[in-house]
Amino acid sequence: MRTLRHTASALLAAFFCLAGLAGGGQARAENYPSRPIRMIIPWSVGGSTDMLGRLLADGMGKRLGVAIVVENKPGATGTIGYAQVARSPGDGYTLLLGTNSTFAIAPHFYHDLPYDLQRDFRPIGMIGANQQVLCVQPQAPYKTVADLVKAAKAKPGAINYASSGVGGSSHLATELLMSTTGISMMHVPYRGGAPAVQALLGGQTEVGFVDISVAEPLIHSGKLRALGTSGAKRAPLLPDLPTLAESGVSGFESLTTFGLFAPAGTSDAIVQKLNTALNESLRDPALSKQLAAQGFELTPGPAQAYVAYAAEETRKWGSLIAQRHITLP
């Protein structure tokens, strides 16, 4: 596992560094785009990633003067959608909405991926991030993160926590919490975020990390109690709620981050055109307000911004997965 982790991190770092050199002399962008573009979203219809992709497809399409058609290709932690884009030509007409759960985490679980990160993709730009909220039921005895940590240390393994499945963001966020604080809790994995939240609401589990867009209305309606958010800074959607780091879990940060990709071989000129349309969409006041209401914290910028970030995310989660001996069932 240690070798795999280092190999994946090195590959991803090399992928982003070399991507800037790929395709520079290929397809010219003077007449691009001249037909509809498709955006592959490797997650199901109706989730927060799907909503984000559809809003961006609309915003970018208006700026590029063509329709951007969304296609959902869920399955295998996003790797099915990645594989489809990897097989597509680098002509700018196939895009991928990716998350760190796939480009930084999946390689540590799937050892025979049907694509190569270094060879098959090129970043267009960073989109932003979503925080998670550590939640318990309102009647739970834990009022703060410190209360939870104290109880878990007193009775290792007695507290159970829900997750969206092994290797999912809520699972790894809890593994990071346990690793950082030295506590032990019982993992109860579900097949997706929705059933995990329902288990928490129904009292089948005691603790869980919940996506902020889902958690916020449940917190304000009194159906869940929030202990802390998962970012390095407080979430704009819940500004009065301290982060886990503020609550004594030093250095804790676990985010779901989003970015836009194209197949390798896409020319510099086309990447730049797409990056400009992406950033203009993210800076649009109406769109940014709509996404902020769902908990998205937007980070427009150049494609090269992915280089250090992606390599560090791969290293961080690979290290945790190896340390905690996490494997798929």
Side-chain angles (χ1 to χ4, degrees), residues 68-289:
I68 298 183
V69 181
V70 168
E71 294 183 16
N72 296 83
K73 299 291 181 181
T77 321
T79 59
I80 290 175
Y82 270 64
Q84 179 167 340
V85 176
R87 296 190 298 267
S88 301
D91 56 10
Y93 289 98
T94 301
L95 308 178
L96 170 73
L97 180 60
T99 68
N100 58 342
S101 61
T102 302
F103 69 71
I105 294 172
H108 303 291
F109 290 116
Y110 297 95
H111 303 170
D112 55 350
L113 291 172
Y115 54 81
D116 182 276
L117 292 170
Q118 178 181 358
R119 183 189 64 221
D120 295 329
F121 298 97
R122 185 168 188 195
I124 292 167
M126 184 82 82
I127 295 169
N130 241 347
Q131 296 200 39
Q132 299 174 73
V133 186
L134 182 62
C135 293
V136 298
Q137 284 192 315
Q139 61 268 31
Y142 324 115
K143 301 293 198 307
T144 65
V145 174
D147 289 344
L148 176 63
V149 170
K150 182 179 179 180
K153 284 185 174 179
K155 294 184 177 181
I159 298 172
N160 58 40
Y161 72 92
S163 86
S164 58
V166 175
S169 57
S170 55
H171 175 211
L172 291 184
T174 314
E175 291 283 355
L176 181 61
L177 173 64
M178 293 192 293
S179 174
T180 306
T181 59
I183 64 175
S184 175
M185 297 189 291
M186 179 66 68
H187 184 201
V188 184
Y190 290 86
R191 299 188 68 177
V197 172
Q198 287 302 315
L200 185 58
L201 290 168
Q204 288 81 41
T205 55
E206 297 178 73
V207 182
F209 276 96
V210 181
D211 285 344
I212 193 167
S213 60
V214 176
E216 188 264 345
L218 296 173
I219 294 164
H220 284 138
S221 66
K223 294 180 180 178
L224 288 177
R225 176 189 297 147
L227 303 185
T229 50
S230 67
K233 298 180 180 180
R234 293 195 180 195
L237 199 60
L238 295 169
D240 296 327
L241 184 64
T243 67
L244 268 76
E246 287 181 288
S247 304
V249 188
S250 180
F252 186 94
E253 184 177 23
S254 177
L255 304 171
T256 300
T257 55
F258 306 86
L260 197 63
F261 298 80
T266 305
S267 72
D268 290 342
I270 288 177
V271 167
Q272 184 55 55
K273 204 163 191 176
L274 289 167
N275 178 264
T276 298
L278 172 64
N279 288 334
E280 287 179 354
S281 298
L282 293 175
R283 293 187 176 106
D284 179 84
L287 179 59
S288 60
K289 182 179 180 180

Side-chain angles (χ1 to χ4, degrees), residues 30-69:
E30 286 89 344
N31 299 319
Y32 172 85
S34 59
R35 54 187 170 87
I37 299 168
R38 63 175 181 164
M39 179 187 291
I40 303 298
I41 298 180
W43 306 100
S44 300
V45 174
S48 59
T49 307
D50 177 64
M51 181 203 70
L52 171 64
R54 291 177 186 278
L55 288 173
L56 284 177
D58 182 62
M60 291 179 65
K62 290 176 180 176
R63 286 162 175 81
L64 292 168
V66 297
I68 298 183
V69 181

